[in-house]
Structures are given as structure tokens and as C-alpha cells.
Amino acid sequence: EPEVTQTPSHQVTQMGQEVILRCVPISNHLYFYWYRQILGQKVEFLVSFYNNEISEKSEIFDDQFSVERPDGSNFTLKIRSTKLEDSAMYFCASSLDREGFREQYFGPGTRLTVT
Amino acid sequence: AQSVTQLGSHVSVSEGALVLLRCNYSSSVPPYLFWYVQYPNQGLQLLLKYTSAATLVKGINGFEAEFKKSETSFHLTKPSAHMSDAAEYFCAVIALYNFNKFYFGSGTKLNVKP
């Protein structure tokens, strides 16, 4: 069964450093998403991406964040200068079409720890 | 605006007992509602979804949920818990006008005792 994969599973970084979280969505999917979950809190939407551009972003997704689909398979989330409060689990998801209610497939997550 | 509230961050049941995980939603437009499950070190897996068809929705692994508009609820149930059901469960909502993003609850960790 096709699945979304994410690397690394755990990333530790120092405050102020740049991190790139990587995702490989399901190959025929067209819509891509990032969510995050701060420990003990809700899973929050960050951004959705389609046709090589951001289609929607939340207020969390400020100028420190960027997304990219550098090739035909990877979808990345970059945090330019990490803060302590960026520590969270980051989930990537993909869906076949815009009607994501059909199903968004989620990856296992990357746990980011900023020290 | 859309949101969901999951009552109880931790629920513990005995094997064979009824599982009831609570979810209440808030939505200014008709919602689509979902339950996802996350097993340790795995991604979020769709259990079931309500998309304005039947109000009683059956999902995988014997789970079901009932959409009750009058109570703004979408509680998840399973008649008989199995050890393999131990996981974290997330309720989520999508607004009909915006399929682009989910609003998740804070999750409920289900523990199943032998």
C-alpha cells in the first residue's frame, strides 16, 4: 500500500539554526500539506501546496517557514531560524485531489527538538 | 470557524469492554468529520469519515461513529476493545467550503488493559 514517508524521524537542532524536514508524498497525489503538533496540544494546519505554489497557509506559517517541491518526489518544509517554540511533531500529508475529505494520507511525522 | 474538542486526553478500558471516545465539533457550516488513529511511530491513519450521507458511519477495525447534529457530537465507539486498539485517536473537521485543511482535536490516548 502506498504511504507517505518522512525523514528524519527525529531532528535535534540549536536555536537559530535552519532545518529542512523532508517528505515523500504518494506518487500520484497532487496536493501536499504540513501540519504540526506541539507536545500535548492539537494537530495544527500549517500550509497546503498545489501546482508548485502555496494554496493556503495558517497564521503560524510566517516568514520563517517555506515549502518547496524541489523535484518530482520530495516536498520539504524549511524553518530558517528555529526558535524553542518550533519544537513539535511535524506531519506531512498528501491527497489525490483538492477535495481532501476523500482522504489525506499522513506520514509518520518528524519530531523536531530545538535546544 | 471550525474546531473540535476531544474530552479526555487519556481513556483506559479493559479488553473486551466498550470503547467510547468523545468528540464535539463547532462549525458555522455543515461539517465533514473524521477520526484518525495513530499507532506508535506511525502516521495518522483514517478510521472513518462522515460526509453528510448516513449519520452512523462504520470504519475499519470494528469502530463506528454517529453524527448527532443536535448534540454537535461525533463520538467514536467500539463494542469490544482489543489490545491492538491501544493508540492515540484524533477527531478532525473540515468545512464544506474549504476542503483544504483539517482542524484536529488534541487527541485521546486509549489504553487497553488485559
Side-chain angles (χ1 to χ4, degrees):
Chain A
E1 187 176 335
E3 59 182 15
V4 176
T5 59
Q6 291 184 242
T7 54
S9 57
H10 191 190
Q11 173 89 46
V12 181
T13 189
Q14 288 189 326
M15 197 168 50
Q17 296 296 305
E18 174 184 285
V19 293
I20 298 176
L21 309 183
R22 301 180 192 280
C23 169
V24 178
I26 294 173
S27 62
N28 62 335
H29 284 188
L30 301 175
Y31 289 82
F32 314 111
Y33 313 82
W34 283 102
Y35 293 80
R36 79 170 186 191
Q37 184 184 26
I38 294 172
L39 188 64
Q41 297 185 26
K42 298 184 178 187
V43 177
E44 301 169 290
F45 169 80
L46 290 178
V47 66
S48 59
F49 189 87
Y50 170 70
N51 199 26
N52 283 319
E53 60 183 27
I54 291 172
S55 51
E56 187 165 0
K57 61 183 180 179
S58 72
E59 59 276 7
I60 302 168
F61 194 88
D62 60 22
D63 292 343
Q64 292 295 320
F65 291 90
S66 62
V67 288
E68 192 179 29
R69 190 157 162 81
D71 52 42
S73 59
N74 290 284
F75 178 51
T76 62
L77 174 68
K78 182 193 289 186
I79 309 174
R80 287 192 184 81
S81 178
T82 51
K83 309 184 194 76
L84 293 177
E85 54 265 36
D86 293 327
S87 296
M89 180 73 88
Y90 289 81
F91 293 105
C92 172
S94 68
S95 66
L96 182 58
D97 52 33
R98 186 185 177 275
E99 294 177 334
F101 70 88
R102 294 193 190 283
E103 194 162 341
Q104 282 187 19
Y105 290 79
F106 286 81
T110 293
R111 181 167 297 285
L112 176 65
T113 301
V114 182
T115 61
Chain B
Q2 284 70 45
S3 68
V4 290
T5 302
Q6 291 183 243
L7 294 175
S9 58
H10 290 80
V11 169
S12 187
V13 301
S14 298
E15 192 173 20
L18 172 71
V19 176
L20 171 60
L21 305 182
R22 299 178 186 275
C23 173
N24 287 89
Y25 70 89
S26 172
S27 179
S28 53
V29 296
Y32 284 1
L33 292 154
F34 306 77
W35 277 99
Y36 279 84
V37 60
Q38 185 180 29
Y39 298 102
N41 302 315
Q42 295 187 30
L44 297 169
Q45 180 184 2
L46 181 68
L47 267 181
L48 49 79
K49 61 189 175 191
Y50 165 76
T51 56
S52 75
T55 56
L56 182 62
V57 182
K58 294 188 185 299
I60 61 172
N61 301 337
F63 284 94
E64 62 182 37
E66 186 171 9
F67 173 71
K68 291 188 177 179
K69 186 177 178 181
S70 61
E71 297 177 10
T72 60
S73 68
F74 190 58
H75 301 330
L76 181 71
T77 60
K78 182 173 180 178
S80 176
H82 192 271
M83 296 297 291
S84 60
D85 295 327
E88 188 158 19
Y89 293 79
F90 294 92
C91 183
V93 64
I94 275 184
L96 271 183
Y97 66 83
N98 184 1
F99 297 141
N100 225 2
K101 60 184 178 182
F102 284 80
Y103 296 87
F104 282 89
S106 52
T108 298
K109 283 189 178 167
L110 176 65
N111 178 46
V112 182
K113 300 174 290 187

